[in-house]
Amino acid sequence: MGRPGCAGDALHRVAALSHDLIPGQQRAVIFAHFHPDGEIPAYTRRLIDFLQHRAQRFIFVSTCLNDVAASSLPDSIEVIVRDNVGHDFMSYKTGWQRLGELSAYDEVLI
């Protein structure tokens, strides 16, 4: 298990909640990210890898993402880099706005 409170620990909690998709089910993920150096640590990558294969749409919203980290994400992930204003809540709001019509999804994980 990862460090308490980190994505490694969160992976175990998400695994219990996030099942594979039922055929025809639509799931989206909104992922809020911040790292002071703009990196994506290994424990965060494991969580991203786990979630991206369980959703049709993945929106990654960051307030600090360097070019190397951004280019390392799969093309299937929509990346938004925004100003660091409004804490995590603004990242989630930004992701919700990008999703568009929420009724198109059976489930949205944040």
Side-chain angles (χ1 to χ4, degrees):
M1 198 169 324
R3 298 179 311 190
C6 291
D9 184 46
L11 179 59
H12 294 283
R13 291 191 305 266
V14 169
L17 299 173
S18 181
H19 51 80
D20 287 333
L21 286 171
I22 297 168
Q25 184 180 24
Q26 296 294 308
R27 181 182 293 151
V29 172
I30 300 171
F31 196 98
H33 167 267
F34 172 81
H35 188 279
D37 298 321
E39 299 172 355
I40 303 174
Y43 60 85
T44 302
R45 288 188 182 280
R46 286 192 300 274
L47 182 56
I48 291 168
D49 289 344
F50 178 84
L51 291 172
Q52 86 171 82
H53 298 293
R54 288 165 175 79
Q56 285 79 16
R57 192 155 179 206
F58 194 112
I59 300 174
F60 183 93
V61 185
S62 180
T63 56
C64 188
L65 186 66
N66 66 41
D67 291 339
V68 172
S71 66
S72 72
L73 290 168
D75 291 337
S76 61
I77 293 179
E78 298 172 52
V79 177
I80 301 170
V81 179
R82 64 173 194 83
D83 290 335
N84 193 9
V85 178
H87 305 289
D88 293 350
F89 301 110
M90 187 58 74
S91 288
Y92 295 126
K93 180 180 180 183
T94 301
W96 281 110
Q97 291 171 330
R98 174 66 67 90
L99 273 180
E101 184 57 48
L102 296 179
S103 63
Y105 300 95
D106 298 297
E107 189 173 64
V108 178
L109 301 176
I110 60 171

